[in-house]
């Protein structure tokens, strides 16, 4: 008998589900639930009420850390003084940064969106981080690499075309939808409302890209307390529990960007000495090399350009990513793409093998591009490689053996492998979130922005790396006379009125989404209640007093009618009414001499004695026996 | 008013500061940073300004070359003050001698 704990809400008089605890909804009257006797559920009811009481007392609002990645995102939070990864609704520790619209106009986010990408390539948006806060002119190459249409708006900014719903999205809006899911899932996991976050960006992001990322948070209804650099976040997670002085180099090769930062860590102070990178280099580029290789050999053999076929391109891209990952552990990967296209001669397939050596050859220039930022960051920090104590690898692409080889040859040391490259950024963001929430007191972060001195408005101390050996302090002024370069970037961010419009639109959509979900959940609950009640009536047969049975049956019919009519509130009300009668039924059985335990009675007796702290809401753990 | 970068880091000021080791400069900065960082002083409107001042002083003292230059300026000033004092003293003595005569 497998048993899982299910939480049940008894809410009177109306049957509205408690909005803050949606996780427990699925347990309500789930199929084949046979309730334990009220007696056995009593102590649990109490325990649960206490727990709830406790969680109500700790009212401090949680700030989460979000790694909004090009291909995958992750969320971290401080729990018990330590940063932990928050799993999503699907139980995964990372969420694909993918948003899709189906032909019916339904919105899908995360794994579910990624899974249908092949059949819906034009309405599936991935790698949007490559477009956020960018001018169209800056991302010509990237625009060619995606299966959806990237267009230029009147301001020269990037818009993503979505034919399924006939709309053009800003990259901010797509990122907002990813953020929304991450935060909604985190709220469920942490069991408290999350509305504030620290979000990470590549260190080499410019002001426009940072502002756009912040705007994405706003559109998602999220207050972004701070934008921090990904390699810096990684160093926070790495150094969180180390108190010794170290100079570290963070090598962060993500899905779409490459960052290198050199930091000095000690006594709780994390000081960024220099940072360098390449915003057009990441795991996607490695995939693209495989895609191009496959497409070229297919073109040579069959004379067909697969890159022009959106669906074929999407399949090639997925397969390429898989092959690349396999080549991190195996020396060769088999690539099989049946029915990739068709000609007059019939269907065409791709069946080939990619060796690790060939893959490395295809990517040799990409691997070369990893070197300069490392050298630049050392030079800017005025350090030589022998001054570096640890090299930390961040980002999934650092699993590529050839990438590790480059790091090793550049630094002459084995990289530190104690941190999980997919999670370390979110964990570090959680540490900074803890600092801002006041949960973490003995850490401060001193960061730099490499391209400008902007973003002071966020409250962060972000000073430009100061050119050394320049002017010296004079006795006249307090300042050192050091020059600060300010890079004025073009306005590739959204105008504020457009952001406002997107915020209200997102709010409206989110409300509609909730209503839709609520309607579906309510109907499912009602179906299940009907089934359950009919089953109970049948099982109990003659044991049920006639007048009680009559009442229950009357309410049952009402509920069935309400289900066919489909008005959510009516269903809820009728379900609540039926629920009351079922309780009466349980009570009448329980009061009978020789009542059958385990049958019928919901929890009549417990209801009077176990009123929860909120009067009419009781949380109960029941044993769900299958 | 002249800035005493050592004092801002909570170290002995002026010519005494020049004797502080490089390691202790770093340590002193970190100690101050943990106290003065705006994240730790959310309600202090001057936090940002004060922190940048600390950071600025640290940048100067952390770099060995700029620190030496700063120390030289401080020492020169210090020596000038001593010289001035000596001169004043001499003048005073001379004046006194003249009066005596």
């Amino acid at each position: 008998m497998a048993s899982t704990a299910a939480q049940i809400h008894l809410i009177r008089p109306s049957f509205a589900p408690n909005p803050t605890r949606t996780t427990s909804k699925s347990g309500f009257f789930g199929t084949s639930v046979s309730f334990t006797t009220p007696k056995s559920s009593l102590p649990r009811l109490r325990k649960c009420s206490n727990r709830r009481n406790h969680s109500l007392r700790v009212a401090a609002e949680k700030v989460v850390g979000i790694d909004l990645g090009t291909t995958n995102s992750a969320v971290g939070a401080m729990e018990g003084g330590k940063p932990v990864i928050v799993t999503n609704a699907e139980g995964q520790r990372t969420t694909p940064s993918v948003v899709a619209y189906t032909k019916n106009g339904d919105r899908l986010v995360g794994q579910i969106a990624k899974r249908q990408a092949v059949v819906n390539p034009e309405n599936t948006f991935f790698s949007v981080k490559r477009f956020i806060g960018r001018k169209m002119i800056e991302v010509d190459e990237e625009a060619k690499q995606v299966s959806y249409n990237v267009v230029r708006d009147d301001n020269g900014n990037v818009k993503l075309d979505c034919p399924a719903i006939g709309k053009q999205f800003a990259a901010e809006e797509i990122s907002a939808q990813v953020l929304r899911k991450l935060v909604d899932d985190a709220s469920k996991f942490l069991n408290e409302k999350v509305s504030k976050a620290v979000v990470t960006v590549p260190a080499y992001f410019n002001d426009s890209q940072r502002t756009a990322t912040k705007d994405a948070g706003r559109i998602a209804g999220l207050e972004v307390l701070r934008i921090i650099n990904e390699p810096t976040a990684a160093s926070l997670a790495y150094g969180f529990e180390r108190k010794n002085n170290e100079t570290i180099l963070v090598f962060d090769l993500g899905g779409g960007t490459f960052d290198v930062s050199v930091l000095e860590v000690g006594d709780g102070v994390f000081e960024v000495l220099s940072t360098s990178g390449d915003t057009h280099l990441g795991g996607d580029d490695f995939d693209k090399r495989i895609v191009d290789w496959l497409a070229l050999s297919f073109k040579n053999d069959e004379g067909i350009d697969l890159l022009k076929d959106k669906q074929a391109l999407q399949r090639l891209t997925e397969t390429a990513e898989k092959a690349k990952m396999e080549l991190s552990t195996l020396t060769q990967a088999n690539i099989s793409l049946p029915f990739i296209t068709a000609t007059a001669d019939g269907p065409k397939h791709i069946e080939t093998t990619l060796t690790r050596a060939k893959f490395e050859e295809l990517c040799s220039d990409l691997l070369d591009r990893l070197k300069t930022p490392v050298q630049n960051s050392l030079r800017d920090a005025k350090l030589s490689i022998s001054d570096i104590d640890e090299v930390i690898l961040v980002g999934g692409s650092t699993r590529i053996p050839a990438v590790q080889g480059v790091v090793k040859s550049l630094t002459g040391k084995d990289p530190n492998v104690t941190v999980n490259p997919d999670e370390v950024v979110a964990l570090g963001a959680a540490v900074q979130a803890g600092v801002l929430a006041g949960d973490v007191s003995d850490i401060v972060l001193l960061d730099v922005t490499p391209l400008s001195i902007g973003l002071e408005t966020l409250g962060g101390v972000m000073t430009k790396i100061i050119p050394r050996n320049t002017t010296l302090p004079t006795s006249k002024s307090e300042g050192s006379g050091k020059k600060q370069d300010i890079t004025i970037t073009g306005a590739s961010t959204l105008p504020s009125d457009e952001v406002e419009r997107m915020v209200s639109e997102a709010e409206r959509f989110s409300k509609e989404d909730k209503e839709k979900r609520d309607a579906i959940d309510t109907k499912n609950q009602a179906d299940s209640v009907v089934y359950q009640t009919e089953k109970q009536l049948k099982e109990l047969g003659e044991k049920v007093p006639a007048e009680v049975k009559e009442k229950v049956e009357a309410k049952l019919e009402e509920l069935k009618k309400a289900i066919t009519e489909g008005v959510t509130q009516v269903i809820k009300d009728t379900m609540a009414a039926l629920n009351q009668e079922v309780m009466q039924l349980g009570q009448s059985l329980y009061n009978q001499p020789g009542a059958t335990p385990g049958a019928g009675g919901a929890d009549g007796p417990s209801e009077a004695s176990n009123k929860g702290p909120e009067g009419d809401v009781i949380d109960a753990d029941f044993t769900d026996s299958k | 008013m002249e800035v005493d970068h050592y004092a801002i880091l909570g170290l002995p000021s002026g010519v005494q500061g020049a004797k502080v080791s490089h390691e202790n400069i770093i340590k002193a900065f970190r100690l101050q940073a943990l106290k003065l960082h705006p994240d730790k002083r959310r309600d202090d409107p001057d936090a940002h300004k004060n922190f940048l001042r600390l950071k600025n002083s640290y940048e100067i003292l952390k770099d060995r070359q700029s620190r030496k230059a700063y120390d030289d300026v401080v020492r020169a000033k210090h020596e000038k003050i001593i010289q001035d004092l000596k001169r004043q003293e001499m003048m005073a003595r001379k004046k006194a001698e003249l009066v005596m005569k």
Side-chain angles (χ1 to χ4, degrees):
Chain A
M1 180 164 137
S3 60
T4 52
Q7 288 177 326
I8 299 212
H9 298 279
L10 299 174
I11 298 170
R12 292 176 306 270
S14 92
F15 195 76
N18 184 345
T20 61
R21 309 200 75 184
T22 39
T23 35
S24 54
K25 240 193 264 174
S26 59
F28 188 90
F29 273 71
T31 45
S32 69
V33 173
S34 82
F35 295 123
T36 52
T37 56
K39 240 177 226 165
S40 74
S41 66
L42 263 170
R44 285 194 204 193
L45 274 165
R46 271 210 195 97
K47 208 167 118 206
C48 197
S49 305
N50 287 343
R51 197 169 63 207
R52 185 185 182 80
N53 237 346
H54 180 71
S55 74
L56 280 176
R57 248 185 288 121
V58 184
E61 199 181 0
K62 203 94 184 174
V63 184
V64 296
I66 300 177
D67 170 11
L68 184 62
T70 306
T71 45
N72 290 295
S73 296
V75 182
M78 293 302 287
E79 290 272 86
K82 276 190 177 158
V84 296
I85 288 292
V86 171
T87 56
N88 66 15
E90 294 81 46
Q92 300 298 312
R93 297 167 75 82
T94 60
T95 302
S97 309
V98 183
V99 174
Y101 284 86
T102 66
K103 301 274 178 288
N104 309 329
D106 286 336
R107 184 173 63 205
L108 310 172
V109 185
Q111 189 60 47
I112 186 173
K114 189 179 180 180
R115 211 179 292 141
Q116 56 83 68
V118 167
V119 293
N120 187 21
E122 284 164 326
N123 300 295
T124 304
F125 304 99
F126 55 88
S127 296
V128 295
K129 193 175 176 179
R130 290 192 167 217
F131 302 113
I132 202 162
R134 293 292 195 96
K135 288 274 187 204
M136 191 65 199
I137 195 168
E138 299 170 310
V139 289
D140 276 345
E141 271 312 304
E142 274 92 347
K144 284 183 212 147
Q145 287 178 27
V146 294
S147 59
Y148 48 90
N149 272 325
V150 182
V151 295
R152 182 185 181 281
D153 76 356
D154 300 338
N155 301 319
N157 291 344
V158 172
K159 284 274 154 57
L160 315 174
D161 187 47
C162 180
I165 58 165
K167 197 172 177 273
Q168 290 189 347
F169 288 107
E172 287 92 327
E173 289 177 283
I174 300 294
S175 291
Q177 284 155 17
V178 175
L179 285 171
R180 189 68 257 157
K181 174 184 166 51
L182 295 174
V183 168
D184 282 348
D185 287 2
S187 299
K188 283 176 198 162
F189 181 92
L190 298 166
N191 214 355
E192 55 190 300
K193 192 173 155 34
V194 174
S195 63
K196 292 180 179 149
V198 169
V199 179
T200 63
V201 295
Y204 233 58
F205 254 27
N206 63 25
D207 269 4
S208 298
Q209 292 167 297
R210 286 164 198 268
T211 307
T213 304
K214 235 190 140 206
D215 285 343
R218 259 181 75 202
I219 295 166
L222 191 63
E223 192 187 339
V224 178
L225 295 184
R226 186 76 51 87
I227 296 274
I228 65 169
N229 294 331
E230 284 157 13
T232 314
S235 78
L236 279 176
Y238 166 79
F240 181 63
E241 279 176 288
R242 287 163 209 260
K243 288 283 167 262
N244 46 332
N245 294 334
E246 273 184 313
T247 305
I248 61 176
L249 184 141
V250 180
F251 184 99
D252 179 359
L253 186 60
T257 52
F258 174 47
D259 274 337
V260 179
S261 286
V262 176
L263 293 104
E264 230 171 44
V265 183
D267 306 317
V269 176
F270 290 69
E271 191 189 356
V272 180
L273 300 181
S274 68
T275 191
S276 188
D278 186 336
T279 38
H280 296 265
L281 180 60
D284 288 0
D285 297 299
F286 290 78
D287 301 347
K288 186 75 177 75
R289 289 304 155 90
I290 303 178
V291 169
D292 289 346
W293 175 71
L294 289 170
L296 185 69
S297 63
F298 191 82
K299 200 173 177 185
N300 289 341
D301 296 348
E302 308 285 347
I304 300 166
D305 187 2
L306 290 176
L307 299 178
K308 290 201 174 107
D309 175 349
K310 299 249 171 202
Q311 193 159 337
L313 175 63
Q314 186 56 39
R315 281 183 71 193
L316 285 173
T317 306
E318 274 183 20
T319 307
E321 189 192 2
K322 240 175 75 196
K324 174 189 73 178
M325 288 172 161
E326 277 176 32
L327 290 174
S328 291
T329 46
L330 305 170
T331 50
Q332 65 173 45
N334 292 321
I335 294 170
S336 170
L337 284 158
F339 303 99
I340 189 70
T341 190
T343 64
D345 307 338
K348 298 284 171 198
H349 320 292
I350 291 179
E351 194 72 54
T352 187
T353 301
L354 177 63
T355 63
R356 191 187 280 177
K358 180 69 189 169
F359 172 60
E360 288 172 6
E361 183 198 316
L362 293 171
C363 302
S364 63
D365 63 317
L366 298 177
L367 295 167
D368 279 342
R369 278 165 65 191
L370 297 171
K371 290 172 187 163
T372 315
V374 174
Q375 288 153 354
N376 287 350
S377 65
L378 284 170
R379 189 199 60 212
D380 292 348
K382 289 171 72 185
L383 294 174
S384 68
I385 197 64
S386 58
D387 297 319
I388 302 294
D389 298 307
E390 285 284 351
V391 177
I392 318 288
L393 296 184
V394 182
S397 307
T398 57
R399 290 199 175 90
I400 299 173
V403 170
Q404 292 183 1
V406 169
V407 175
K408 229 175 139 178
S409 76
L410 280 172
T411 63
K413 42 173 70 78
D414 284 316
N416 183 297
V417 288
T418 56
V419 298
N420 180 331
D422 299 324
E423 299 179 354
V424 67
V425 171
L427 292 174
V431 172
Q432 179 62 32
V435 171
L436 297 179
D439 300 337
V440 177
S441 58
D442 53 354
I443 280 180
V444 294
L445 180 56
L446 313 176
D447 211 343
V448 294
T449 58
L451 295 180
S452 74
I453 60 159
L455 280 166
E456 265 87 3
T457 46
L458 298 186
V461 176
M462 292 247 188
T463 51
K464 170 94 172 61
I465 298 177
I466 291 144
R468 325 273 155 137
N469 306 324
T470 50
T471 331
L472 285 166
T474 62
S475 54
K476 289 260 160 32
S477 73
E478 178 183 298
S480 62
K482 287 180 228 145
K483 279 188 295 187
Q484 295 205 327
D485 304 324
I486 302 171
T487 312
I488 311 284
T489 52
S492 44
T493 48
L494 297 167
S496 62
D497 57 332
E498 207 174 329
V499 175
E500 287 311 324
R501 180 185 59 74
M502 288 169 181
V503 169
S504 61
E505 215 173 81
E507 276 167 4
R508 184 163 53 81
F509 280 132
S510 134
K511 194 167 160 270
E512 282 172 12
D513 264 12
K514 278 201 185 91
E515 282 166 4
K516 225 191 252 178
R517 237 179 320 179
D518 188 31
I520 295 168
D521 285 350
T522 306
K523 191 181 166 295
N524 287 342
Q525 274 178 15
D527 281 342
S528 163
V529 168
V530 167
Y531 168 80
Q532 199 59 39
T533 313
E534 282 178 337
K535 191 168 153 247
Q536 277 183 8
L537 285 177
K538 212 158 121 195
E539 277 171 9
L540 294 168
E542 297 305 309
K543 290 183 195 121
V544 186
E547 81 270 14
V548 178
K549 191 174 177 177
E550 237 168 67
K551 274 190 197 159
V552 172
E553 279 174 338
K555 294 287 173 202
L556 195 61
E557 284 314 308
E558 272 179 45
L559 180 56
K560 281 184 185 170
K561 190 164 151 270
I563 291 171
T564 30
E565 282 164 1
V567 181
T568 306
Q569 195 51 51
V570 177
I571 300 177
K572 281 180 179 173
D573 293 345
T574 355
M575 190 156 51
L578 173 61
N579 196 40
Q580 281 284 28
E581 292 306 329
V582 172
M583 263 189 255
Q584 292 301 317
L585 184 149
Q587 186 132 31
S588 73
L589 281 179
Y590 196 67
N591 292 339
Q592 275 176 18
T596 330
D603 39 297
S606 65
E607 126 193 36
S609 53
N610 281 284
K611 279 210 166 188
E614 288 168 25
D616 53 2
V617 180
I618 301 174
D619 279 75
D621 282 356
F622 281 87
T623 305
D624 177 355
S625 42
K626 298 217 164 93
Chain B
M1 181 58 202
E2 175 181 328
V3 179
D4 188 332
H5 297 299
Y6 289 106
I8 286 172
L9 263 69
L11 291 164
S13 60
V15 277
Q16 292 301 310
K19 294 172 190 160
V20 177
S21 72
H22 183 69
E23 286 66 35
N24 282 336
I25 299 263
I26 295 173
K27 242 192 149 54
F29 165 69
R30 287 177 177 165
L31 214 67
Q32 294 294 320
L34 280 169
K35 274 192 275 183
L36 296 180
H37 196 285
D39 283 355
K40 307 281 170 200
R41 301 178 159 251
R42 308 300 292 273
D43 301 324
D44 180 358
D46 293 332
H48 205 86
K49 195 184 81 196
N50 290 338
F51 190 81
L52 285 177
R53 199 169 68 139
L54 171 71
K55 189 98 200 300
N56 180 49
S57 292
Y58 177 55
E59 294 292 343
I60 287 157
L61 298 182
K62 188 186 170 195
D63 185 280
R64 288 173 203 271
Q65 270 177 295
S66 67
R67 182 182 175 194
K68 188 179 173 299
Y70 171 71
D71 286 346
D72 288 347
V73 171
V74 170
R75 195 174 338 101
K77 282 206 169 147
H78 183 73
E79 278 163 9
K80 190 172 174 288
I81 289 167
I82 289 175
Q83 261 177 7
D84 286 353
L85 278 175
K86 274 185 185 158
R87 198 180 302 135
Q88 275 170 23
E89 210 177 303
M90 220 156 65
M91 296 288 275
R93 211 179 310 134
K94 271 184 186 163
K95 230 182 244 170
E97 278 169 16
L98 280 173
V99 173
M100 291 282 272
K101 278 178 189 171

